Amino acid sequence: MRGVKVGVLSFAHVHAGGFARLLAAMDGVEVLAADPDTDLAAPGEVRGKDFADQLGVNYVDTYEELFAWGPDKVVICSENVRHRPLVELAAAHGVDVLCEKPLATTPEDGAAMVEACRAAGVRLAVAHPVRFSPAYLAVRDAVRAGTAGEVLAVSGTNNGYMPGARRRWFVDPELAGGGALMDHTVHIADLLDDLLGGVPAASVYAQTNNVLYEGEVPVETAGLLTLTYANGAVATIDCSWSQPRHHPAWGGLAMQVIGDRATLEMDAFDQKVHGFSETSRSGVELPYGVDLDALMLRAFLFGDDTGPIGVTDGEAGVRALRIVAAAYESARVGRTVAVR
């Protein structure tokens, strides 16, 4: 049986290297990467063939060469603003796509990407690995079974390092589409979309600021959203780049789900042994447990029936983008706005 040929389009995203390594380590998977759009990389950022050599994956200079290779599927890890043209390129070649989050920088671009893939008869998935967290799945099972009762409120946090220190484009408003609100709202929004069974968000009130890195970056570095859903549920999302640079872990994602029968709590990345290093005189964290990226990639490559949950689809990615767009409008005008 022929192996699965997977193309990695761009090394711009901080997750690109991890995805490429995981794919290359999978039995029956051939990997080929292309990263020609390095013109906007900041000085000192390793991209292109040099990065592919570090990863130990095969490389070609152009996307045309990669598609000529005949990939079965591609994973897109470009700057956010370049997601749409690359997804449309993959659709034109009849290739299934897993696109880094957020799906696009605007709901209009996201909807166009969904339509392009639908017209071409290919799959469009979005890289939201937290859906595969055992902690989230336990919360999901409790809600589905009725153990928690009706979901009344959710408090979610997705905090992390300011990623511009690793890839400068994350803090470029044109390339990224925004800052922390664009980067970190969508993970929690996607979990809520799944948890509430696709019930749409009706309205959002948001505030943002740049206090954490004032003078360093031109985008918001902290945000807080309050969402009201069509079924009356209320959710808050803290989407800040608030993890200090000296912390041993990049950040995390946690949720508290309040039902009329029970309160459920989860921490997606707290499978760790915490300690202190006498050598470095600093805190250490040693993770264990499942690799969420690996679970997501396997589901995308080999089918959603390989586990209890499937990869986020393009339509869900657009719903998350509508929340982001409404949140930016709310922060701009200073009032609650409808999610359209």
Side-chain angles (χ1 to χ4, degrees):
M1 182 176 178
R2 185 176 71 86
V4 180
K5 300 170 72 173
V6 183
V8 176
L9 276 59
S10 182
F11 289 141
H13 201 282
V14 294
H15 294 157
F19 289 169
R21 285 192 182 98
L22 287 168
L23 290 165
M26 292 181 183
D27 291 339
V29 176
E30 300 177 63
V31 180
L32 184 65
D35 185 32
D37 299 322
T38 58
D39 52 310
L40 295 176
E45 292 181 0
V46 181
R47 297 271 301 270
K49 189 177 187 308
D50 289 341
F51 193 52
D53 289 343
Q54 289 184 12
L55 298 171
V57 299
N58 293 325
Y59 183 84
V60 289
D61 292 323
T62 67
Y63 295 132
E64 288 76 13
E65 291 174 273
L66 190 146
F67 281 105
W69 175 64
D72 300 296
K73 301 175 187 290
V74 295
V75 179
I76 293 174
C77 299
S78 67
E79 299 87 349
N80 295 343
V81 76
R82 294 178 172 175
H83 286 177
R84 177 176 175 178
L86 289 179
V87 165
E88 291 176 338
L89 180 63
H93 284 85
V95 178
D96 290 343
V97 186
L98 175 66
C99 182
E100 248 302 346
K101 63 82 193 168
L103 178 61
T105 57
T106 68
E108 293 76 18
D109 277 353
M113 294 155 68
V114 169
E115 180 54 36
C117 290
R118 181 184 294 117
V122 301
R123 182 184 188 190
L124 174 59
V126 189
H128 284 296
V130 186
R131 280 193 176 204
F132 295 84
S133 162
Y136 170 66
L137 292 175
V139 168
R140 183 180 189 260
D141 287 346
V143 170
R144 293 283 193 276
T147 305
E150 181 185 357
V151 174
L152 305 175
V154 179
S155 174
T157 60
N158 185 195
N159 304 138
Y161 292 144
M162 193 275 289
R166 292 178 61 188
R167 287 287 193 252
R168 191 67 185 173
W169 70 264
F170 273 96
V171 296
D172 184 315
E174 294 300 320
L175 296 176
L181 194 156
M182 176 66 73
D183 188 37
H184 274 182
T185 297
V186 291
H187 275 307
I188 299 286
D190 179 67
L191 295 185
L192 290 170
D193 188 83
D194 179 68
L195 190 69
L196 299 175
V199 173
S203 65
V204 60
Y205 176 77
Q207 290 193 0
T208 64
N209 65 52
N210 193 6
V211 173
L212 295 173
Y213 293 91
E214 188 173 5
E216 292 186 47
V217 299
V219 294
E220 79 284 350
T221 56
L224 183 63
L225 285 61
T226 300
L227 292 157
T228 301
Y229 281 79
N231 63 355
V234 176
T236 61
I237 300 177
D238 178 344
C239 53
S240 306
W241 289 337
S242 55
Q243 196 78 319
R245 290 169 174 153
H246 62 268
H247 199 275
W250 67 270
L253 186 150
M255 284 202 317
Q256 182 183 64
V257 179
I258 300 171
D260 60 7
R261 294 183 183 178
T263 297
L264 311 169
E265 295 185 352
M266 61 156 282
D267 189 326
F269 297 101
D270 200 36
Q271 289 184 304
K272 303 171 184 173
V273 177
H274 302 263
F276 183 82
S277 169
E278 291 288 351
T279 303
S280 64
R281 308 299 297 173
S282 62
V284 295
E285 294 185 353
L286 304 176
Y288 62 91
V290 298
D291 187 316
L292 305 188
D293 288 344
L295 293 176
M296 176 189 68
L297 289 169
R298 287 191 178 278
F300 172 64
L301 296 183
F302 304 115
D304 290 331
D305 56 356
T306 58
I309 195 167
V311 183
T312 302
D313 61 25
E315 287 85 354
V318 174
R319 290 194 292 271
L321 278 175
R322 291 190 179 119
I323 291 172
V324 169
Y328 274 119
E329 181 184 355
S330 173
R332 180 179 60 82
V333 301
R335 58 175 172 78
T336 300
V337 302
V339 178
R340 295 181 284 273

